[in-house]
């Protein structure tokens, strides 16, 4: 993710499954500062669900360098659907040169990750939770759904399995 201009804002959504209780979390942030950092005060704010969790000041001496930063997340701040936000703020004024593309200031690398440690909660055996626990719309992982059929399933069983597979595929 590339952040450019004196005011830039990028967000990353992620969920916590309904059958998981977050115990703690962290962000492993890998980022690179542009070769030409504007003069003036520049900072990268990291917010979780609108609440500031870290503030990284960018200095001219950081220009062209790569950094890794470990940011701890408070488990109490994690909800079903979360929004991790990166806000770049610079008082350097207009960074654009006429006829040139806007200069980037910070690049958040693919090596960045969000790590959550959680405890599995038991769900009551109640069909009103359907399609849980098989599918949770908060889960960011690919759906892995195993269907077990008898040794020689008949046509109605295969049709039902096909309908369920199609329906879960549409949900995913």
């Amino acid at each position: 993710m590339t952040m450019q201009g004196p005011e830039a804002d990028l967000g990353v959504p992620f969920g916590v499954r309904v059958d998981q209780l977050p115990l703690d979390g962290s962000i492993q942030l890998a980022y690179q500062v542009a070769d030409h950092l504007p003069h003036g005060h520049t900072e990268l704010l990291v917010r979780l669900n609108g609440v500031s969790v870290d503030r990284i000041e960018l200095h001219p001496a950081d220009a062209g360098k790569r950094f890794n930063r470990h940011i701890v997340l408070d488990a109490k701040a994690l909800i079903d659907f979360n929004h991790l936000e990166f806000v770049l703020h610079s008082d350097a004024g207009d960074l654009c040169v006429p006829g040139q593309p806007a200069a980037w200031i910070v690049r958040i690398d693919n090596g960045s990750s969000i790590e959550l440690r959680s405890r599995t909660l038991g769900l009551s055996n109640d069909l009103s939770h359907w399609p849980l626990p098989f599918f949770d719309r908060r889960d960011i992982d690919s759906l892995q759904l195993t269907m077990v059929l008898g040794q020689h399933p008949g046509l109605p069983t295969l049709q039902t399995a096909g309908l369920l597979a199609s329906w879960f595929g549409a949900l995913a």
Side-chain angles (χ1 to χ4, degrees):
M1 297 186 305
T2 301
M3 304 185 78
Q4 52 192 85
E7 298 290 330
D9 185 339
L10 293 172
V12 178
F14 68 97
V16 176
R17 287 182 53 97
V18 73
D19 61 350
Q20 298 293 312
L21 176 65
L23 301 174
D24 58 44
S26 65
I27 303 166
Q28 298 299 330
L29 183 63
Y31 65 97
Q32 179 182 358
V33 179
D35 290 335
H36 302 289
L37 195 63
H39 295 287
H41 181 76
T42 303
E43 62 185 6
L44 178 64
L45 303 172
V46 182
R47 295 182 183 148
L48 175 63
N49 301 323
V51 176
S52 180
V53 292
D54 201 0
R55 186 176 142 268
I56 304 168
E57 289 195 39
L58 304 175
H59 304 283
D62 299 336
K65 295 180 182 174
R66 293 181 184 275
F67 296 92
N68 289 301
R69 189 171 183 113
H70 180 83
I71 302 169
V72 176
L73 300 176
D74 183 2
K76 292 179 233 150
L78 294 167
I79 56 177
D80 292 355
F81 293 101
N82 298 282
H83 186 71
L84 182 63
E85 184 179 23
F86 300 97
V87 180
L88 182 65
H89 173 72
S90 177
D91 62 7
D94 190 10
L95 302 176
C96 297
V97 176
Q100 297 291 327
W104 65 272
I105 298 175
V106 173
R107 201 172 271 151
I108 298 174
D109 296 333
N110 289 342
S112 299
S113 64
I114 301 169
E115 298 174 12
L116 298 177
R117 192 172 63 91
S118 61
R119 181 173 58 117
T120 301
L121 301 172
L123 292 177
S124 62
N125 191 7
D126 184 350
L127 282 177
S128 70
H129 298 298
W130 184 262
L132 293 171
F134 306 105
F135 174 78
D136 188 334
R137 59 191 173 102
R138 300 161 193 84
D139 196 349
I140 60 172
D141 292 330
S142 297
L143 177 62
Q144 300 282 330
L145 183 64
T146 303
M147 291 194 184
V148 179
L149 305 175
Q151 190 171 5
H152 301 289
L155 184 59
T157 301
L158 291 174
Q159 288 174 329
T160 303
L163 285 170
L164 276 174
S166 177
W167 184 70
F168 275 107
L171 287 175

